[in-house]
Amino acid sequence: MSKIAAIYMLTNASGRGPGHSAIAFGAKVYSFEPAAPGSMDDLFGDSWKIFDTRKYVLEINPSRPALVQELSGAVGLRPLGAYLMKSIQDSQLYARRGVCSDQAAAAISAGTEGAWAPRKGLVTTPKALYDQLIWAGLVTRTYYYWPLAPKAAPAPDSADARILNRLRLEHAGVPQAPMNTGILSWGNAPLPTPTPAPAPPATPANDYQADYPVNKAGIMLSNVSNERYQTFEYWPLIYDDNRALLPNGPNKVPLNIKLKIRKPEKFTAAELAHARKHWKNWQTYR
């Protein structure tokens, strides 16, 4: 068993709309989600989010069916996992690939190492991706979960009635699966661990400007970067120079520390290019 599946939330909560496509990989769901307005994500754009599969189906989306296509061994764990890891780390890989169904299709194509590719211009909805995977012979089993499925005939034109009609019209014969079977019973399949980069050589003391004292809560490295370098883009350089002081990652700057701030002319061209490439990936930069 490959432990890879395409998972589709059928319609939205009101029973309308095309729904949503995601990837089930072991015990996790990788879902390309829109940024919440006003959030940090809104600054950096849409991105992959990672959920526990059972929580995603049973708690986050219980009111609509989760349609599942388990995929064959032609979709490899390692190449698909490597694609997900790379795209999580580098938003440029997926920023130009469109909506959730396009993102899921690109990931599955990577899992086949290019043996299958979605038909150009046709994967813009969950149903389009669902059909293409069947046509490609990549599906081994199909079923759906619906934790809050109606126990009696729903009122006409209610959300449940619209969802039931969609199931009958588009997915006739697909069985409803018990909650302890299928992808909800899969164990974890961790993403490949990237090879850690070698530690950079020590930087001479005279390469630094004055330390930056963290004397109030809520200070962000991007703001420090903008204050010292007049751009938000160089916060990864500050983080890399201060990793020992920031054990919980770049988003949690503890109080009462002094950040080392290198002089801008002391960065190499490669370091500056790296920062510009990754500065939007504040959630996953490590």
Side-chain angles (χ1 to χ4, degrees):
M1 186 193 305
S2 71
K3 288 192 175 181
I4 297 173
I7 179 169
Y8 312 92
M9 305 316 301
L10 197 67
T11 80
N12 57 25
S14 69
R16 295 186 172 91
H20 184 79
S21 303
I23 300 293
F25 185 93
K28 301 292 183 184
V29 166
Y30 293 80
S31 175
F32 190 78
E33 302 273 337
S39 68
M40 282 297 294
D41 286 352
D42 196 24
L43 176 62
F44 301 130
D46 302 345
S47 62
W48 290 99
K49 302 294 188 297
I50 306 171
F51 304 91
D52 174 81
T53 302
R54 292 187 65 83
K55 183 174 182 179
Y56 186 77
V57 172
L58 302 180
E59 298 178 28
I60 299 174
N61 296 289
S63 62
R64 51 184 175 158
L67 187 68
V68 177
Q69 290 177 311
E70 292 186 12
L71 303 181
S72 73
V75 184
L77 277 171
R78 180 162 291 278
L80 188 142
Y83 173 88
L84 288 172
M85 174 63 75
K86 185 176 180 182
S87 60
I88 287 168
Q89 291 177 334
D90 182 3
S91 63
Q92 295 304 310
L93 189 64
Y94 58 75
R96 58 186 176 274
R97 286 196 170 132
V99 295
C100 60
S101 298
D102 293 311
Q103 307 298 341
I108 293 168
S109 178
T112 69
E113 299 184 276
W116 172 79
R119 296 183 185 180
K120 188 174 182 181
L122 291 184
V123 181
T124 56
T125 67
K127 183 61 166 63
L129 177 58
Y130 176 92
D131 288 340
Q132 286 205 45
L133 294 177
I134 293 174
W135 299 336
L138 295 176
V139 179
T140 60
R141 189 161 66 130
T142 305
Y143 48 88
Y144 71 91
Y145 305 106
W146 192 357
L148 296 182
K151 294 180 170 53
D157 203 37
S158 65
D160 284 346
R162 287 191 289 271
I163 291 171
L164 281 169
N165 189 51
R166 183 82 163 267
L167 276 172
R168 294 188 187 111
L169 287 175
E170 296 184 357
H171 306 290
V174 174
Q176 185 171 358
M179 298 301 171
N180 60 348
T181 63
I183 64 171
L184 296 186
S185 67
W186 286 358
N188 198 28
L191 295 183
T193 303
T195 304
T203 305
N206 61 359
D207 285 358
Y208 291 94
Q209 49 181 282
D211 292 347
Y212 188 99
V214 180
N215 50 26
K216 62 179 179 180
I219 286 178
M220 300 175 64
L221 295 185
S222 57
N223 291 333
V224 177
S225 173
N226 193 45
E227 183 176 328
R228 291 296 182 94
Y229 301 128
Q230 290 73 57
T231 176
F232 294 108
E233 295 181 351
Y234 292 171
W235 70 258
L237 302 172
I238 299 173
Y239 176 60
D240 288 341
D241 282 345
N242 291 275
R243 285 177 179 267
L245 299 175
L246 303 167
N248 297 317
N251 307 319
K252 297 180 180 179
V253 180
L255 280 169
N256 302 319
I257 63 171
K258 292 183 177 181
L259 297 170
K260 298 281 187 186
I261 307 294
R262 230 186 305 176
K263 297 175 182 177
E265 67 271 16
K266 297 299 182 180
F267 292 116
T268 66
E271 287 175 316
L272 294 174
H274 176 83
R276 294 188 188 104
K277 182 178 180 181
H278 293 284
W279 76 277
K280 292 184 178 182
N281 301 336
W282 62 274
Q283 288 182 309
T284 55
Y285 189 83
R286 292 292 184 271

